[in-house]
Structures are given as structure tokens and as C-alpha cells.
């Protein structure tokens, strides 16, 4: 997942005004990322919703507020993580990004992964997990299962929006955040990781 085609400047330059897919037509803002570009833990969501499109910041709507709360519960600070999405422009009516839209936008995500170079990547929901973890992901079966891919450890979990509809999934979600944090701390300390 890591071709160094971009540095931060060229990434932001190419992203600004991007028209590589039809999602450019209705967006108000391109939503690139929030948090620390030197973070050890990176979260990847699906794509901006209405409030993200309006503000240009990922995960600031209802799902984002819940996400912030649960990060705190896992003793993680959003400001110390890097948070982004598979597609940078809002799909109309919050529909899933179409495969060609995701494919058009993935080079930017690959660049973000390469430039941030996190130790742990958490995929929030099926769409992110599909493009980053496993094409045939079944979140309910595979959530929390760590996979090593190149230099990165990847953990899929639920999308925070799913928890708004299914509060019973919250404990598993928080457990996955805690697992990501513990894995990061182990990697930081140079401890051997046995998957
Ligand atoms: N849902 C996402 O997947 N990403 C956001 O930034 C907001 C909501
Ligand atoms: Fe460009 Fe990605 Fe926006 Fe499509 S979603 S226009 S590829 S930035």
C-alpha cells in the first residue's frame, strides 16, 4: 500500500479541486483528514457526510461525536490519531461510494498511509475494510482480527454510524479500539508481536 508518489505538498495540491470522479460535482468541501500527521494509529472511515462536507473535517457529525466519546473511553485522544476516509468528497444522500469512485480516490489514501506511516490502521466499517483489509470482508465475523500487511497492522471494526443504530455493538467497538491502542503500545516498545 505504500508508493511514495506524493509528498504532503503535492498531495494537497493535487487534491485541491480534484475532479477525478463524479463526487466532485456536489461537494462543498474536500475532506482530507483530521488529527496528527505523525500519528501511530490511523483511522479510515468511508466518506464525508453532510456536516463533514460543510466543515471540511472528518467525523464531526453524529457518528463523529459518538466516535470521539468512544475514543475517550478507550483512553485514546483524537488529536493524537490520524483520521481520514476512503473518499474525500461526500456521496449524495450519504450513499456508499461506488467502486469507481473509491478506486479514483484510493491513490490519495495510499499516499496518506505512506506519508503518515502509522503502525496500526483501524478500518471503520465495511467500505474501508473492503479496500484496505479484505475485499470480501464480513465485519461481524472479522472485526477485531488483526492482519499484518507490509509494515502495517490492520484492524477492521464497525463504523461508528452503525453503533447509532445498534448500541449493542458498542462494547465490541470499544474493545477493538483498546486492542488497537495496546497493539500500538507493544509495537512502540519493540515487543515481539505474535498474531
Ligand atoms: N462517516 C464517515 O465514514 N466519515 C466521516 O468523515 C463521517 C461520517
Ligand atoms: Fe477526487 Fe476523491 Fe473527490 Fe473523487 S472523491 S473528486 S477522486 S477527491
Amino acid at each position: 500500500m505504500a508508493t511514495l508518489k506524493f509528498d504532503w505538498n503535492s498531495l494537497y495540491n493535487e487534491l485541491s479541486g480534484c475532479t477525478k470522479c463524479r463526487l466532485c460535482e456536489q461537494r462543498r468541501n474536500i475532506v482530507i483528514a483530521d488529527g496528527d500527521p505523525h500519528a501511530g494509529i490511523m483511522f479510515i472511515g468511508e466518506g464525508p457526510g453532510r456536516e463533514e462536507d460543510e466543515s471540511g473535517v472528518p467525523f464531526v457529525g453524529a457518528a463523529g461525536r459518538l466516535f470521539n466519546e468512544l475514543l475517550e473511553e478507550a483512553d485514546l485522544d483524537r488529536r493524537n490519531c490520524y483520521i481520514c476516509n476512503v473518499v474525500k468528497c461526500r456521496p449524495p444522500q450519504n450513499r456508499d461510494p461506488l467502486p469507481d469512485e473509491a478506486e479514483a480516490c484510493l491513490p490519495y489514501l495510499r499516499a496518506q498511509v505512506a506519508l503518515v506511516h502509522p503502525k496500526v490502521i483501524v478500518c471503520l466499517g465495511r467500505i474501508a475494510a473492503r479496500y484496505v483489509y479484505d475485499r470480501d470482508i464480513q465485519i461481524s465475523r472479522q472485526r477485531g482480527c488483526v492482519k499484518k500487511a507490509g509494515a502495517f497492522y490492520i484492524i477492521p471494526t464497525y463504523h461508528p454510524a452503525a453503533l447509532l443504530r445498534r448500541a449493542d455493538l458498542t462494547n465490541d467497538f470499544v474493545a477493538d479500539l483498546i486492542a488497537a491502542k495496546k497493539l500500538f503500545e507493544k509495537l512502540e516498545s519493540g515487543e515481539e508481536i505474535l498474531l
Side-chain angles (χ1 to χ4, degrees), residues 72-86:
E72 256 179 58
E73 211 166 294
D75 204 18
L76 281 164
D77 188 330
R78 173 176 170 129
R79 290 165 299 185
N80 300 332
C81 303
Y82 187 84
I83 299 173
C84 61
N85 285 303
V86 171

Side-chain angles (χ1 to χ4, degrees), residues 2-155:
T3 39
L4 266 181
K5 182 184 158 198
F6 288 108
D7 57 22
W8 283 114
N9 272 337
S10 60
L11 174 63
Y12 274 74
N13 281 342
E14 187 150 334
L15 262 169
S16 75
C18 175
T19 55
K20 287 194 166 59
C21 82
R22 68 183 75 72
L23 296 181
C24 70
E25 291 162 15
Q26 294 182 43
R27 72 166 176 240
R28 292 176 60 178
N29 286 292
I30 300 180
V31 179
I32 303 178
D34 194 24
D36 180 1
H38 304 290
I41 304 179
M42 176 167 180
F43 290 94
I44 305 176
E46 177 176 327
R50 184 176 53 80
E51 284 160 278
E52 291 78 19
D53 180 54
E54 280 168 7
S55 63
V57 183
F59 285 102
V60 293
R65 289 190 289 275
L66 178 59
F67 182 41
N68 290 346
E69 262 175 49
L70 299 176
L71 280 169
E72 256 179 58
E73 211 166 294
D75 204 18
L76 281 164
D77 188 330
R78 173 176 170 129
R79 290 165 299 185
N80 300 332
C81 303
Y82 187 84
I83 299 173
C84 61
N85 285 303
V86 171
V87 292
K88 316 302 188 216
C89 304
R90 182 192 182 196
Q93 283 82 48
N94 298 343
R95 64 158 169 74
D96 288 353
L98 300 174
D100 67 321
E101 295 160 354
E103 293 298 338
C105 215
L106 277 171
Y108 299 128
L109 180 64
R110 291 194 188 100
Q112 288 172 299
V113 170
L115 291 167
V116 175
H117 205 79
K119 290 191 157 64
V120 178
I121 298 173
V122 182
C123 298
L124 299 170
R126 183 178 58 85
I127 296 289
R130 177 178 158 68
Y131 291 105
V132 178
Y133 180 87
D134 174 353
R135 288 266 148 177
D136 303 310
I137 182 87
Q138 283 186 275
I139 286 284
S140 54
R141 285 188 33 217
Q142 288 167 272
R143 60 144 277 274
C145 298
V146 180
K147 176 160 111 178
K148 185 159 196 267
F152 309 105
Y153 289 85
I154 313 177
I155 307 180

